[in-house]
């Protein structure tokens, strides 16, 4: 499945539990009842506003939880809140590792495009292309579009 600015990327299935080790050990042991889990469920059902509310509350307590920052940032992107998306996704990208890095980098570029910050977006898209990311074809296409 190709990921674009119109198709949110989802990790795993809706029923998949996220190991506490992936969230830095900060999450409750029963993630199904946590704001993080409920926020991700809202995201999975394309309720980005509902997701954002729950994840924002969770991030107050766990500001370095990169899973929450990713889902909250992409929710912000889909709500057109590009400044908030950039702030959160930039934190995820700065870690430069993990399963969320490439997709966060992609949505960070799209958020910069949404803000009409094409120079910043070009830099990120070029980084995606140079790293041979799985988003290289999409990055090349978007780079052509914003360069025209």
């Amino acid at each position: 499945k190709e990921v674009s600015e119109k198709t949110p990327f989802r990790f795993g299935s809706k029923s998949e539990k996220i190991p506490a080790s992936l969230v830095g050990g900060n999450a409750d042991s029963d993630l199904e009842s946590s704001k993080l889990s409920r926020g991700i469920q809202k995201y999975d059902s394309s309720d980005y506003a509902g997701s954002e509310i729950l994840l924002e509350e969770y991030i107050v307590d766990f500001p370095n939880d990169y899973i929450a920052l990713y889902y909250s940032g992409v929710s912000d992107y889909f709500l057109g809140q590009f400044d908030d998306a950039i702030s959160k996704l930039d934190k995820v990208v700065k870690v430069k590792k993990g399963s969320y890095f490439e997709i966060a980098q992609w949505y960070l570029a799209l958020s910069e495009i949404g803000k009409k910050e094409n120079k910043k977006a070009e830099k990120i898209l070029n980084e995606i292309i140079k790293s041979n990311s799985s988003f290289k074809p999409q990055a090349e296409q978007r780079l052509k579009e914003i360069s025209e």
Side-chain angles (χ1 to χ4, degrees):
K1 176 177 165 182
E2 185 173 305
V3 177
S4 72
E5 61 271 20
K6 296 177 185 139
T7 308
F9 185 79
R10 290 171 171 80
F11 286 93
S13 67
K14 291 179 185 177
S15 62
E16 180 179 324
K17 289 193 177 198
I18 301 165
S21 62
L22 289 179
V23 290
N26 291 327
D28 296 331
S29 59
D30 183 9
L31 288 176
E32 288 302 312
S33 64
S34 73
K35 289 177 185 173
L36 173 63
S37 181
R38 292 190 327 251
I40 292 171
Q41 288 171 352
K42 295 268 187 195
Y43 174 96
D44 282 341
S45 64
S46 301
D47 178 1
Y48 303 115
S51 174
E52 183 56 21
I53 290 167
L54 290 167
L55 293 172
E56 281 290 332
E57 291 174 6
Y58 180 83
I59 290 169
V60 168
D61 294 327
F62 306 104
N64 296 319
D65 185 325
Y66 297 107
I67 292 173
L69 288 166
Y70 165 78
Y71 282 104
S72 183
V74 177
S75 292
D76 285 328
Y77 167 79
F78 281 105
L79 293 169
Q81 300 169 352
F82 301 121
D83 287 327
D84 291 337
I86 290 165
S87 173
K88 293 169 190 164
L89 294 169
D90 190 52
K91 291 176 185 175
V92 177
V93 168
K94 284 184 178 171
V95 174
K96 295 194 183 273
K97 63 180 178 180
S99 57
Y100 291 85
F101 172 74
E102 286 185 4
I103 188 71
Q105 194 177 35
W106 170 244
Y107 278 112
L108 179 59
L110 294 177
S111 297
E112 293 289 6
I113 292 168
K115 264 189 76 177
K116 310 285 188 235
E117 293 285 348
N118 289 352
K119 292 290 182 199
K120 291 179 182 178
E122 283 178 22
K123 182 178 183 231
I124 297 165
L125 292 169
N126 279 316
E127 289 172 8
I128 291 170
I129 292 165
K130 287 177 188 170
S131 71
N132 212 20
S133 159
S134 58
F135 293 94
K136 181 178 178 177
Q138 294 99 320
E140 289 172 334
Q141 179 61 36
R142 292 302 287 200
L143 192 56
K144 285 179 190 173
E145 291 171 7
I146 65 174
S147 297
E148 293 175 350

